[in-house]
Amino acid sequence: MTVKIKRLVMPILVGCEESQTICGALRREGYEAYSCDLKPTRGNPEWHYQEDIMSVIPKRRWLLIILHPDCTAMAVSGNRWYGKGMPRHSERLAQIEWTLDLWELAKRHSDKVALENPVSVIFKHLPNVRYIQPWQFGHGETKKTGFALHNLEPLKPTKVVSGREQRVWKMPPRENRKRDRSKTYDGVAEAIAKQWA
């Protein structure tokens, strides 16, 4: 009888993810993966830490940590509110400082770390930033997304498709707009599970 080694390795943590899109993709590949967010998960609560990510990371050694810090204050699309000289600039500075602390903490507890954000001011402070688009992973849409990588190779496209709809950008105002805009595309989650774990 053959035992799949990947089931025996250290667990994986997906930080600031309540949807469990990436966590679920990792679980389907046979990994012990957990999501973490201050909000309850829309997935399996047994695989979710509803806690501050800063307190969860030090609990153990992780095979891989994938981080999705809130982009509201850091995305360049918010420069008119959070840019230098704007009324909420101090919130951007605080979010950058918190995110850099998160990055350093993750590197102390895992040899492999990725930090995801849309086009963001955080990336000028982080190494090895690579960008992807959903249409490279089976979704005919645009949403330029960056990953800062520590000991990880850039994601390789898995299914380039036609279509360049800006669905996320065009989402109308509604109660769950922010949550829905930030959800990882399934094709990207599958690529992460297959290529990084």
Side-chain angles (χ1 to χ4, degrees), residues 22 25-26 29 31 188-197:
I22 296 174
L26 289 160
E29 287 295 312
Y31 294 96
V188 174
E190 290 169 14
I192 288 170
K194 289 182 183 341
Q195 295 179 36
W196 286 349

Side-chain angles (χ1 to χ4, degrees), residues 162-178:
S162 61
R164 300 292 183 268
E165 181 188 358
Q166 292 185 325
R167 181 186 63 82
V168 170
W169 182 75
K170 294 178 182 177
M171 282 183 177
R174 61 179 186 237
E175 183 181 347
N176 292 322
R177 183 175 191 260
K178 180 180 176 179

Side-chain angles (χ1 to χ4, degrees), residues 20-185:
Q20 286 196 340
T21 306
I22 296 174
C23 177
L26 289 160
R27 288 269 176 172
R28 287 189 294 278
E29 287 295 312
Y31 294 96
E32 181 186 354
Y34 299 92
S35 59
C36 174
D37 200 275
L38 293 173
K39 298 175 183 172
T41 182
R42 288 179 276 162
N44 187 331
E46 292 179 12
W47 309 339
H48 185 68
Y49 290 96
Q50 189 177 345
E51 298 177 43
D52 183 339
I53 184 68
M54 294 289 203
S55 66
V56 172
I57 289 174
K59 289 184 180 208
R60 61 200 325 174
R61 188 79 186 158
W62 304 94
L63 175 69
L64 166 65
I65 298 175
I66 304 166
L67 303 167
H68 303 275
D70 190 297
C71 66
T72 304
M74 297 190 298
V76 296
S77 61
N79 282 351
R80 61 185 161 179
W81 298 286
Y82 299 97
K84 195 169 186 178
M86 296 295 114
R88 300 179 76 175
H89 185 63
S90 62
E91 292 175 48
R92 173 172 279 180
L93 296 177
Q95 185 65 27
I96 290 170
E97 183 179 350
W98 182 87
T99 303
L100 292 174
D101 289 345
L102 177 66
W103 174 257
E104 292 303 321
L105 179 66
K107 289 193 306 178
R108 288 195 298 273
H109 293 275
S110 179
D111 293 329
K112 298 191 294 184
V113 180
L115 187 144
E116 176 272 343
N117 242 220
V119 180
S120 169
V121 296
I122 193 62
F123 289 133
K124 67 183 176 185
H125 303 283
L126 296 173
N128 198 19
V129 177
R130 304 301 172 92
Y131 289 92
I132 63 166
Q133 287 279 0
W135 53 261
Q136 297 173 303
F137 300 89
H139 304 274
E141 301 175 23
T142 60
K143 183 188 176 191
K144 188 175 181 182
T145 303
F147 285 93
L149 304 173
H150 175 69
N151 292 329
L152 289 166
E153 293 295 318
L155 286 176
K156 296 175 184 67
T158 55
K159 185 179 180 185
V160 175
V161 296
S162 61
R164 300 292 183 268
E165 181 188 358
Q166 292 185 325
R167 181 186 63 82
V168 170
W169 182 75
K170 294 178 182 177
M171 282 183 177
R174 61 179 186 237
E175 183 181 347
N176 292 322
R177 183 175 191 260
K178 180 180 176 179
R179 181 196 76 181
D180 295 343
R181 283 171 55 106
S182 66
K183 182 181 176 294
T184 302
Y185 287 83

